[in-house]
Amino acid sequence: GSCQGNSVERKIYIPLNKTAPCVRLLNATHQIGCQSSISGDTGVIHVVEKEDDLNWVLSDGPHPPYMILLDGNLFNRRVLLQLKGTSRVSGLAVAIAKPSPPQGFSPGLKCPNDGFGVYSKDYGPQFAHCNKTVWNPVGSGLSYEDFDFPIFLLEDANETQVIKQCYQDHNIPRDGSGPEYPLCAMQLFSHMHAVTSTVTCMRRSSLQSTFSINPEVVCDPLLDYNVWSTLQPINSSGKVDPEKEVIIVATRIDSHSFFWNIAPGAESAVSSFVTHLATAEALHKVSDVHLLQRNVMFTFFQGETFDYIGSSRMVYDMEKDKFPLRLDNIHSFVELNQVALRNNSILWMHTDPVSRMNDTVEAQVRNLLDILSNSSVGANMSLQEAGFSQPLPPSSFQRFLRARHIPGVVLTDHKTAFQNRYYQSMYDTPENILMQYPEGLSPEETLEYVTDTAKSLAEVATVVARALYRLAGGANNTSAIQADPKTVSRMLYGFLIKMNNSWFQSIIKPDLKGILGDVPQHYVAVSSPVNTTYLVQYVLANLTGAVVNLTKEECLSPEKTPNTEIEMYEYAWVQGSLDPNSTSRVPYCVRSTVRLSKALSPAFELRQWGSTEYSTWTESRWKEIRARIFLVASKELEIITLVVGIAILIFSLLATYFINAKADVLFSIPQDPGAVAY
């Protein structure tokens, strides 16, 4: 029969397995986030469901320090700063608010990426630091505070209920006086190795790497890869002809929240990059794209949340001739920002008022705006100008403008402040962009179900694709250019609800099938590439590439195969769909122009860890992150137990000593009376 150990630890502790910690991030000047002490922090649990409950924790309760189980609706700046200022709190476990807080919740900054965009004291000073427009008015800046106690998110409602039950059984104050021991306690472990700033932690890691055989790195730069492809193939190892003009289409593919790797980013990232992917598919289907006088480059930037990591790196590479394109090749720039929450079906076109003071740029921007407006004629939406007196919203385009005056436009669903009330938060979920499915659908039916959100994003993609065709010099009628709402539906389901679905399984390489987790998160992280990057790469290859008749060996080693033009194309051997009659898949080879380029801030390439020009964000390393609850005895009982234990130990030692000393008497062997000595 099977034998199962029943350890003492399992009898004492209940582990909390579905949690997400707040971790420490650092930049050139300071540290943000949370951490526990080196051996974890422990406290008696107190449930806080309304603000009045805080009085017990902050002043009345007789058993500090407390671990607070905080209702998600109270997780705000005012409450957290109260808790930050007291030694009576040892940590915080936050339960997700359901439904999302109606007043909105954004732990990001009111002025995202301030200081790293184009506006400064030297360029449009009247627009610097969001003087003209506060983009994220509900931003509390909580994600950018530094807390010296651990804060964990409880992702599982069942675990939250277990904690509440333990609290109700043991910790509820009776008749105004404190509860009796034993009490229910919680322990949180999230000790961080890095301190102070990126300058300090990178210097320490660098010294360790230089002088130590087993270097202990304390922090890592946030890094990943940008995904890019072109409408007409270009030589990736050479340089594009200086005369060749390219239109860049861009979006970000990362998001963030207060908690590590919890970044659903439905409106802040997914709505725009899914629209961008649908635009790329619609354009690639046009029959005369190879005849267009201008090329189009589809670019997906990673790490933009953290002071434009991806876009600043691409601009840096273009300036240093480390990229096939140069800045001179850029004809114009179209960026898709947050586009899912449109009021009255209006999409706003934002431009840069400073560069438009130049007559040449103004004429090009005017042309760009006219083409976009005309492309929306006949669609169920209209494009309007946000106004000449307003600056650009936070966008990757700003990093290109820092390098040179490029004509460009940023498309958003907001004229001034964001429509998104959950920007960079755990509540920026499919519900935030009004994705709704009928009840009772199987996963496969949900994947294929076309939601209203998918239809409206497909409309945006259609308008943008038609405008790009015109911008690139296309002369034919654009009414046939149409984005597919079914593709948009599949992408929204895969990037927001369930990555591990049949479509994603069929379009990725066999050795990558392990990346398909359940709930998608879009945090840039430090181990690259992250799942989002891989999936954007393979979805883009699937939508814009071609199936070619190559064997597995030829596909995996195209350089050995004639006529593969490996400078122009990338080849991928993908899993394919399941054969309907068996459990095996039908793999095939995809040829596309999709490539990855590094998204690591130039500050780390240049070893300028205190840079104010480039992003300097790093993430601290840690040893373990875990949470558990258990019953704790009173201090008196613990002391009595200790004293009794010590007394028994001393008694045992004395008894052992005396027994040992008198062993010859106590354990002597009696003589046999029958034996006679002569």
Side-chain angles (χ1 to χ4, degrees):
S2 69
C3 167
Q4 189 167 8
N6 198 358
S7 75
V8 174
E9 184 173 356
R10 280 218 297 271
K11 287 184 171 180
I12 298 173
Y13 299 106
I14 299 175
L16 303 171
N17 298 319
K18 284 284 196 75
T19 59
C22 153
V23 303
R24 176 170 289 166
L25 298 173
L26 309 100
N27 68 8
T29 52
H30 58 291
Q31 61 184 32
I32 63 171
C34 325
Q35 77 155 353
S36 74
S37 59
I38 197 160
S39 54
D41 287 330
T42 306
V44 172
I45 295 169
H46 191 73
V47 175
V48 174
E49 292 180 326
K50 50 188 188 299
E51 279 207 46
D52 294 348
D53 296 340
L54 283 171
N55 296 335
W56 183 264
V57 172
L58 297 173
S59 55
D60 302 344
H63 306 117
Y66 284 97
M67 275 282 174
I68 298 175
L69 174 55
L70 189 69
D71 183 88
N73 289 301
L74 292 176
F75 185 60
N76 57 46
R77 187 177 181 86
R78 190 177 70 255
V79 169
L80 260 76
L81 291 189
Q82 270 182 280
L83 303 178
K84 192 177 175 180
T86 174
S87 59
R88 289 175 60 91
V89 173
S90 60
L92 205 56
V94 181
I96 294 181
K98 288 205 167 117
S100 303
Q103 71 277 15
F105 173 75
S106 170
L109 299 169
K110 289 187 189 303
C111 189
N113 291 2
D114 186 22
F116 289 86
V118 70
Y119 303 111
S120 65
K121 64 180 192 307
D122 305 318
Y123 187 101
Q126 69 274 31
F127 303 126
H129 313 302
C130 296
N131 281 344
K132 196 84 176 175
T133 309
V134 176
W135 296 106
N136 186 28
V138 293
S140 64
L142 259 187
S143 287
Y144 296 85
E145 289 287 332
D146 183 34
F147 295 94
D148 58 0
F149 52 79
I151 303 179
F152 278 54
L153 178 70
L154 299 170
E155 297 180 77
D156 185 355
N158 293 334
E159 288 190 342
T160 306
Q161 200 46 52
V162 168
I163 299 169
K164 284 184 175 175
Q165 192 59 53
C166 188
Y167 166 78
Q168 283 160 2
D169 293 345
H170 299 278
N171 293 16
I172 288 189
R174 315 273 175 210
D175 313 321
S177 64
E180 296 292 315
Y181 282 99
L183 296 173
C184 194
M186 185 186 292
Q187 191 172 26
L188 301 177
F189 297 84
S190 63
H191 182 66
M192 299 288 140
H193 293 183
V195 291
T196 313
S197 68
T198 288
V199 178
T200 304
C201 79
M202 288 300 289
R203 188 177 64 239
R204 284 179 182 171
S205 296
S206 175
L207 283 170
Q208 283 267 357
S209 304
T210 310
F211 298 111
S212 173
I213 300 168
N214 298 313
E216 189 179 327
V217 175
V218 291
C219 67
D220 301 282
L222 294 180
L223 81 157
D224 209 80
Y225 288 88
N226 299 322
V227 182
W228 64 277
S229 80
T230 50
L231 194 57
Q232 301 160 350
I234 60 170
N235 185 339
S236 64
S237 53
K239 289 283 172 282
V240 171
D241 180 1
E243 304 301 308
K244 184 70 177 171
E245 292 184 317
V246 178
I247 301 153
I248 291 188
V249 194
T251 44
R252 66 176 58 190
I253 56 175
D254 70 305
S255 188
H256 180 42
S257 83
F258 187 86
F259 299 100
W260 184 74
N261 208 24
I262 300 290
E267 158 75 337
S268 61
V270 179
S271 70
S272 52
F273 77 67
V274 160
T275 307
H276 187 170
L277 287 162
T279 302
E281 181 190 34
L283 261 183
H284 269 270
K285 284 179 176 170
V286 179
S287 55
D288 62 337
V289 285
H290 57 289
L291 302 172
L292 296 176
Q293 66 189 75
R294 297 188 186 99
N295 205 345
V296 179
M297 176 170 150
F298 304 102
T299 318
F300 299 81
F301 291 121
Q302 186 58 281
E304 294 300 273
T305 306
F306 295 96
D307 300 336
Y308 307 119
I309 294 172
S311 52
S312 61
R313 178 54 185 259
M314 188 171 279
V315 171
Y316 173 83
D317 285 346
M318 285 179 174
E319 289 176 322
K320 296 280 184 278
D321 272 356
K322 294 178 178 176
F323 196 78
L325 289 185
R326 295 182 183 88
L327 289 167
D328 297 344
N329 294 114
I330 302 173
H331 168 267
S332 51
F333 199 104
V334 177
E335 180 166 354
L336 286 158
N337 222 311
Q338 307 179 68
V339 293
L341 298 173
R342 301 197 302 282
N343 260 349
N344 306 322
S345 296
I346 298 171
L347 206 57
W348 296 96
M349 301 185 288
H350 299 262
T351 53
D352 171 43
V354 182
S355 58
R356 284 180 71 178
M357 290 175 186
N358 175 315
D359 291 344
T360 318
V361 174
E362 167 60 26
Q364 292 170 302
V365 171
R366 193 69 265 156
N367 176 49
L368 182 56
L369 295 171
D370 290 343
I371 287 175
L372 276 161
S373 299
N374 294 338
S375 299
S376 68
V377 174
N380 290 341
M381 55 173 283
S382 63
L383 274 84
Q384 296 186 16
E385 291 182 51
F388 195 83
S389 61
Q390 192 173 280
L392 287 166
S395 49
S396 310
F397 177 42
Q398 292 201 28
R399 289 303 302 198
F400 284 79
L401 272 180
R402 274 177 84 131
R404 82 178 39 195
H405 286 174
I406 295 166
V409 63
V410 178
L411 302 175
T412 72
D413 55 21
H414 54 90
K415 184 179 182 182
T416 52
F418 296 161
Q419 296 276 12
N420 185 4
R421 291 170 304 129
Y422 304 110
Y423 183 72
Q424 286 181 13
S425 94
M426 56 199 172
Y427 301 115
D428 192 2
T429 56
E431 292 75 34
N432 185 30
I433 58 169
L434 312 175
M435 272 173 68
Q436 291 169 325
Y437 295 95
E439 285 190 15
L441 294 183
S442 68
E444 209 55 38
E445 289 167 337
T446 317
L447 173 69
E448 300 295 341
Y449 182 80
V450 179
T451 58
D452 291 343
T453 305
K455 288 174 191 164
S456 88
L457 292 179
E459 278 170 8
V460 177
T462 298
V463 169
V464 174
R466 289 174 181 177
L468 290 171
Y469 176 75
R470 283 267 174 270
L471 267 174
N476 294 342
N477 187 344
T478 58
S479 59
I481 300 176
Q482 197 78 42
D484 183 5
K486 212 167 186 58
T487 307
V488 177
S489 286
R490 287 172 157 194
M491 290 193 282
L492 287 173
Y493 179 78
F495 285 114
L496 285 173
I497 296 171
K498 194 168 193 272
M499 275 189 170
N500 199 5
N501 63 71
S502 59
W503 185 49
F504 278 5
Q505 287 165 8
S506 70
I507 63 172
I508 62 169
K509 289 180 174 179
D511 57 337
L512 289 180
K513 57 177 183 277
I515 69 167
L516 296 176
D518 257 4
V519 182
Q521 304 297 351
H522 306 293
Y523 170 62
V524 54
V526 293
S527 53
S528 58
V530 291
N531 305 3
T532 310
T533 307
Y534 275 131
L535 287 166
V536 167
Q537 179 189 2
Y538 286 101
V539 168
L540 185 58
N542 178 271
L543 299 179
T544 63
V547 178
V548 287
N549 188 17
L550 293 179
T551 64
K552 182 178 180 180
E553 287 67 30
E554 290 170 333
C555 192
L556 294 174
S557 309
E559 66 281 358
K560 297 176 184 168
T561 313
N563 307 322
T564 49
E565 298 179 284
I566 55 166
E567 304 85 26
M568 312 294 272
Y569 296 104
E570 289 283 311
Y571 291 82
W573 184 256
V574 301
Q575 289 199 114
S577 305
L578 279 170
D579 189 334
N581 303 325
S582 73
T583 54
S584 60
R585 294 183 175 275
V586 185
Y588 56 92
C589 188
V590 175
R591 184 186 74 183
S592 71
T593 59
V594 181
R595 293 188 168 85
L596 298 180
S597 71
K598 216 169 200 178
L600 167 67
S601 169
F604 298 101
E605 203 87 344
L606 301 165
R607 294 175 72 86
Q608 294 173 359
W609 302 319
S611 172
T612 53
E613 165 81 2
Y614 298 113
S615 169
T616 53
W617 286 106
T618 52
E619 181 186 273
S620 172
R621 288 201 177 180
W622 57 81
K623 198 160 198 170
E624 62 171 350
I625 283 182
R626 60 194 173 102
R628 59 191 187 178
I629 63 171
F630 55 96
L631 291 182
V632 64
S634 68
K635 282 278 177 283
E636 292 80 3
L637 182 59
E638 286 178 349
I639 290 166
I640 290 167
T641 308
L642 178 66
V643 169
V644 169
I646 292 169
I648 290 171
L649 175 66
I650 292 168
F651 175 76
S652 309
L653 291 172
L654 287 171
T656 307
Y657 172 75
F658 282 117
I659 289 168
N660 206 31
K662 305 291 183 186
D664 53 335
V665 177
L666 293 171
F667 303 114
S668 63
I669 301 165
Q671 283 193 344
D672 184 354
V676 179
Y678 290 101

